[in-house]
Amino acid sequence: MTNSVDAVTRQMQERIENYQRRFGVLFQDYFKRLRQEFDAPKLSRFTPRSFDLLEDLSLRGGKRQRVAFMYEAARLVTSEPVPGIDEAALSIELLQTHLLVHDDIIDDAPTRRGGTSTYYSYKEEFPEQPQTALGLALLAGDLAAFLSLRVLLEADLPLSLRQALVETQVTAGAATFVGQMYDLERDLPALPTEEMLHEVSDYKASRSSALAPIQLGLLAAGEDVKQFDATLRRYALMFGISGQMCDDYLSLFGDEKVTGKPATADVRDGRRTYAIRAILAAADASERERVESILGRQDASADDIDTIREIARRHGVDQQLRSQMHRYAEEACVEAASWRPRWRDEAVTFFERIPVWGVERTL
Amino acid sequence: MTNSVDAVTRQMQERIENYQRRFGVLFQDYFKRLRQEFDAPKLSRFTPRSFDLLEDLSLRGGKRQRVAFMYEAARLVTSEPVPGIDEAALSIELLQTHLLVHDDIIDDAPTRRGGTSTYYSYKEEFPEQPQTALGLALLAGDLAAFLSLRVLLEADLPLSLRQALVETQVTAGAATFVGQMYDLERDLPALPTEEMLHEVSDYKASRSSALAPIQLGLLAAGEDVKQFDATLRRYALMFGISGQMCDDYLSLFGDEKVTGKPATADVRDGRRTYAIRAILAAADASERERVESILGRQDASADDIDTIREIARRHGVDQQLRSQMHRYAEEACVEAASWRPRWRDEAVTFFERIPVWGVERTL
């Protein structure tokens, strides 16, 4: 049993690495072509500079989980190459670039994906003109969003497919924007409900990072996506909650060197993540007061984080979070299992395994 | 002659007012439907609030010149009602709302269209949380952009037309973003060339405010737009330059009560507009030094503006600007005249008259 599981995991890992390589080349070519073809003002140096920064951030993308989801979704239907799938992959990652660029403005975040954020690159270039830096980052993000749609509109595909792909991305984008608003709203009440956090996770992440990629892959492979709307949404939701819990857990309990994000970040920003919420819910009155006194303080230190971690461990919150993220990953797995025998076994297996694998890789 | 011109002008004015009324109702209905139909997180209050602010800014839109351009472009081809034209009008104005919301973040502008800007509305709601205000304004803007595409994607139209409309808007949006970057770039050199200002005007404004509306109207009316690309671009460019010169002129020489924008705004922000550029180009060394010492100063006063105006008038720059905006308006007029006899006379007349009318209304 263990051996065969290992074999499947190895195979899955190989497939993901394969997609990463393939997509890396594709994405580099895309930016090369963009520079040649984009109708930019001749005298402007700011336009090519924005391409540099968008390319830099885009190519830094690590796991390309969205891309793997999309290729595997097409494989649910067929093992043959599917036209339009590469354009859909580019569109997904360009929309992601858009979201990250704007997210780093919203969070005033200096780093992203182990490098300087687009916003801070501009801040470094215009140290005396903060509004110029803000403006350029905002516009570079806007541009990435429209490029993500343009790449689909220009794809050599039947009109109806092209339109379905564009619609999927526009819907995913709009959902993400309201999800991000909701994410800001979440930090206002003292103790957001779990239901609220699930809804945030759904709108902010699941729809653009899991649901849309699966929909795009299925559409490109000729599947009628609407028919499977409910099960795809459930899968994306459960997977998304599990993934968000992993992220929130790692932000607090993880190794900064691995996450590439300081453990103080969420606390300083007063983010009421799954982890923080669970701690506040479990803590007694005096502990809660202690945690609240640290949350949102810009000078929160490593010692403060240790204090919060200690309170968490005292109530078994770290353990509780780990078991919860497992539970949601397993619910996603069960949902994917229901896709047999309608869809191809090897791809169903991928979607079954990846949620739990994601959790296990995290811990 | 004078009488018949007056009659044409009156007729034109009536038609524009007619479009304004018709579109106002349409836009209100759109937002009503949006609230009912948009798939928003159930528990979120921030999403409906963003709709409120987007609606408020959108309905405050004054002249609706873009909308008039689009309806008149369809009338170049036919006097019959054209399917898809209302959705195209909504799309144009939603994209404009997007541009304004983000523009007011870039410029840190408290007011827009005679009311509070979306950014400042959020700032007032979150006086202690500037990043939350920034984030919400940014996301509301993003949302408006995607709504502007969604309204086209959902239109009950033949696929090929729908796709052509979406493509037009995505192209116009992308051009505007690089135009706005270029607009920020323009303010860096001491004396930008006129060519640079024309290119800024083309990308930042002409393409989304003149070219795209005309293209959308023609497309909806079944015209092959690509065939007329060169003449439409020339018209939009000349009209756009003339209009930008009007705006820049009014910002400096106009009545604040009419423009709704303080005369100090461009000067404080150090904007090298057509007006400022012309003054710097005409001024002698000591005057230039004087103007430069005021430009970009946040405490620039009404007296400072008077100083700049005086230098301008001393060199006849105000007169020169007025004659230049007339010249470009007339070039647009000549371009439109070349559309006869291919297109319908009454609509050609509209496009012939409106550039000069725009200038004369300004002065």
Side-chain angles (χ1 to χ4, degrees):
Chain A
M1 181 65 190
T2 317
N3 271 342
S4 84
V5 168
D6 282 357
V8 170
T9 304
R10 241 196 336 273
Q11 206 190 39
M12 198 163 73
Q13 216 156 350
E14 270 167 33
R15 264 150 72 172
I16 292 175
E17 281 162 17
N18 204 21
Y19 296 135
Q20 282 169 1
R21 268 193 304 275
R22 176 175 163 181
F23 181 74
V25 174
L26 198 69
F27 217 11
Q28 242 169 336
D29 283 352
Y30 168 80
F31 278 104
K32 207 177 284 173
R33 253 180 328 181
L34 184 67
R35 279 165 214 282
Q36 289 160 0
E37 291 169 10
F38 189 83
D39 172 23
K42 282 187 302 296
L43 301 171
S44 168
R45 291 172 304 109
F46 279 16
T47 308
R49 181 67 190 135
S50 72
F51 291 161
D52 291 347
L53 291 172
L54 291 178
E55 178 173 16
D56 180 50
L57 176 64
S58 298
L59 296 183
R60 248 190 272 151
K63 294 177 289 165
R64 303 280 183 216
Q65 177 207 285
R66 284 168 297 274
V67 167
F69 263 47
M70 204 213 38
Y71 286 113
E72 287 293 332
R75 283 178 81 98
L76 285 168
V77 181
T78 174
S79 63
E80 296 298 306
V82 163
I85 198 119
D86 288 343
E87 287 86 350
L90 290 170
S91 176
I92 287 174
E93 290 298 297
L94 285 166
L95 185 58
Q96 185 62 18
T97 296
H98 158 81
L99 295 170
L100 297 181
V101 171
H102 279 190
D103 208 39
D104 290 337
I105 296 174
I106 298 169
D107 294 343
D108 194 25
T111 58
R112 175 62 78 168
R113 289 177 170 171
T116 308
S117 68
T118 306
Y119 184 27
Y120 271 70
S121 293
Y122 279 125
K123 280 196 181 190
E124 283 165 17
E125 287 175 30
F126 301 96
E128 307 294 325
Q129 291 140 298
Q131 280 298 127
T132 301
L134 171 64
L136 289 172
L138 193 157
L139 291 165
D142 284 337
L143 183 58
F146 276 49
L147 292 178
S148 98
L149 301 173
R150 213 185 64 142
V151 77
L152 295 176
L153 290 165
E154 289 179 348
D156 184 19
L157 293 172
L159 271 178
S160 59
L161 173 56
R162 224 190 286 165
Q163 158 116 18
L165 299 176
V166 173
E167 261 184 20
T168 303
Q169 285 292 76
V170 168
T171 303
T176 310
F177 304 144
V178 303
Q180 287 178 298
M181 288 189 204
Y182 199 19
D183 193 44
L184 294 169
E185 187 171 357
R186 178 200 65 181
D187 296 334
L188 298 184
L191 193 63
T193 61
E194 264 217 316
E195 191 192 353
M196 195 171 173
L197 292 192
H198 292 343
E199 235 192 348
V200 169
S201 157
D202 183 16
Y203 279 84
K204 197 190 77 167
S206 294
R207 288 166 193 243
S208 58
S209 290
L211 181 62
I214 297 174
Q215 287 171 328
L216 292 172
L218 288 172
L219 283 167
E223 189 63 277
D224 171 22
V225 164
K226 284 206 186 88
Q227 197 187 326
F228 307 103
D229 194 55
T231 182
L232 296 180
R233 272 177 203 277
R234 267 196 306 274
Y235 179 82
L237 179 64
M238 295 303 143
F239 175 76
I241 291 174
S242 167
Q244 189 63 55
M245 284 179 171
C246 284
D247 284 357
D248 292 354
Y249 176 91
L250 282 177
S251 293
L252 191 63
F253 298 103
D255 181 347
E256 294 189 8
K257 279 182 224 107
V258 179
T259 62
K261 177 181 162 184
T264 45
D266 281 351
V267 171
R268 283 186 181 169
D269 292 345
R271 322 282 297 144
R272 283 158 204 274
T273 65
Y274 279 113
I276 302 289
R277 196 209 94 85
I279 294 166
L280 288 169
D284 65 30
S286 78
E287 288 167 335
R288 195 175 307 131
E289 205 176 314
R290 186 85 191 85
V291 174
E292 286 286 5
S293 76
I294 297 169
L295 276 179
R297 261 194 19 230
Q298 279 309 305
D299 61 349
S301 66
D303 281 354
D304 291 326
I305 303 301
D306 281 339
T307 302
I308 295 178
R309 283 175 181 156
E310 210 175 292
I311 294 170
R313 292 199 175 107
R314 196 176 304 149
H315 294 278
V317 170
D318 52 336
Q319 178 51 44
Q320 173 199 327
L321 283 166
R322 286 199 299 270
S323 91
Q324 267 193 305
M325 63 184 83
H326 253 296
R327 188 163 63 77
Y328 283 103
E330 274 152 22
E331 286 194 35
C333 170
V334 169
E335 196 64 45
S338 78
W339 299 347
R340 286 193 192 88
R342 160 97 207 175
W343 284 326
R344 295 178 63 252
D345 189 70
E346 55 141 10
V348 171
T349 303
F350 175 91
F351 286 105
E352 273 181 320
R353 293 289 166 89
I354 201 150
V356 175
W357 187 58
V359 171
E360 281 168 358
R361 218 175 27 166
T362 300
L363 304 177
Chain B
M1 179 65 189
T2 318
N3 270 342
S4 83
V5 168
D6 281 358
V8 170
T9 303
R10 241 194 338 271
Q11 206 190 39
M12 198 162 73
Q13 217 156 349
E14 271 167 31
R15 265 151 72 173
I16 292 175
E17 281 162 17
N18 205 22
Y19 296 135
Q20 283 170 1
R21 269 192 304 276
R22 174 175 164 180
F23 182 75
V25 175
L26 197 70
F27 218 11
Q28 243 169 336
D29 284 352
Y30 167 80
F31 279 102
K32 207 177 285 171
R33 254 182 328 186
L34 184 67
R35 279 164 213 283
Q36 290 160 0
E37 292 169 10
F38 189 84
D39 171 24
K42 283 188 300 295
L43 301 171
S44 169
R45 292 172 302 109
F46 279 17
T47 307
R49 181 67 191 134
S50 74
F51 291 160
D52 292 347
L53 290 171
L54 291 178
E55 178 173 16
D56 180 51
L57 176 64
S58 297
L59 296 183
R60 248 189 273 150
K63 293 176 291 165
R64 304 279 183 215
Q65 178 207 284
R66 283 167 299 273
V67 168
F69 263 47
M70 203 211 41
Y71 286 114
E72 287 293 334
R75 282 179 82 97
L76 285 168
V77 180
T78 174
S79 62
E80 297 296 307
V82 162
I85 198 118
D86 287 345
E87 288 87 350
L90 291 170
S91 176
I92 286 174
E93 291 298 298
L94 286 167
L95 185 59
Q96 186 62 19
T97 296
H98 157 80
L99 295 170
L100 298 181
V101 172
H102 279 190
D103 209 38
D104 290 338
I105 296 174
I106 298 170
D107 294 342
D108 194 25
T111 58
R112 173 64 77 169
R113 289 177 169 171
T116 308
S117 68
T118 306
Y119 184 27
Y120 271 69
S121 294
Y122 279 125
K123 279 196 182 191
E124 283 165 18
E125 287 175 30
F126 301 96
E128 307 295 324
Q129 291 140 298
Q131 281 297 127
T132 301
L134 171 64
L136 289 172
L138 194 157
L139 291 165
D142 284 338
L143 183 58
F146 275 49
L147 292 177
S148 100
L149 301 174
R150 213 185 66 141
V151 77
L152 294 176
L153 290 165
E154 289 177 350
D156 184 19
L157 292 173
L159 271 179
S160 59
L161 173 56
R162 221 188 290 163
Q163 158 116 16
L165 299 176
V166 173
E167 262 183 19
T168 303
Q169 285 292 73
V170 168
T171 302
T176 310
F177 304 144
V178 303
Q180 286 178 298
M181 288 190 203
Y182 199 20
D183 194 44
L184 294 169
E185 187 172 356
R186 179 200 65 181
D187 296 334
L188 297 185
L191 192 63
T193 62
E194 264 217 314
E195 191 191 352
M196 195 171 173
L197 292 193
H198 292 342
E199 236 193 347
V200 168
S201 158
D202 182 16
Y203 279 84
K204 197 189 78 168
S206 294
R207 288 167 193 243
S208 60
S209 291
L211 181 61
I214 297 175
Q215 288 172 329
L216 292 171
L218 287 172
L219 282 167
E223 188 62 277
D224 171 22
V225 164
K226 285 207 185 85
Q227 199 187 326
F228 307 103
D229 194 55
T231 184
L232 297 179
R233 273 176 203 277
R234 267 196 305 275
Y235 178 82
L237 178 63
M238 296 301 143
F239 175 76
I241 291 174
S242 168
Q244 189 62 55
M245 283 179 172
C246 284
D247 284 357
D248 292 354
Y249 176 91
L250 283 177
S251 292
L252 192 62
F253 298 103
D255 181 347
E256 294 189 8
K257 279 183 224 105
V258 179
T259 61
K261 176 181 163 183
T264 45
D266 281 350
V267 171
R268 283 188 181 167
D269 292 345
R271 322 282 297 145
R272 285 159 203 274
T273 65
Y274 278 113
I276 302 290
R277 196 211 93 85
I279 293 166
L280 288 170
D284 65 31
S286 78
E287 288 166 336
R288 194 175 308 132
E289 207 176 314
R290 187 84 190 85
V291 175
E292 287 286 6
S293 76
I294 297 169
L295 276 180
R297 261 193 21 227
Q298 280 308 307
D299 61 349
S301 66
D303 281 353
D304 291 326
I305 304 299
D306 280 339
T307 303
I308 294 177
R309 283 175 180 157
E310 209 174 292
I311 293 170
R313 291 197 177 110
R314 195 176 306 147
H315 294 278
V317 170
D318 53 337
Q319 178 51 45
Q320 173 199 325
L321 282 166
R322 287 198 299 268
S323 91
Q324 266 193 306
M325 62 185 85
H326 254 294
R327 188 163 63 78
Y328 283 104
E330 274 151 23
E331 286 193 35
C333 170
V334 169
E335 195 65 46
S338 78
W339 299 346
R340 286 196 191 88
R342 160 98 207 175
W343 283 326
R344 293 179 63 250
D345 189 69
E346 55 138 13
V348 172
T349 302
F350 175 91
F351 285 106
E352 274 181 318
R353 294 287 166 89
I354 202 152
V356 174
W357 187 58
V359 171
E360 281 168 358
R361 218 176 25 169
T362 300
L363 304 177

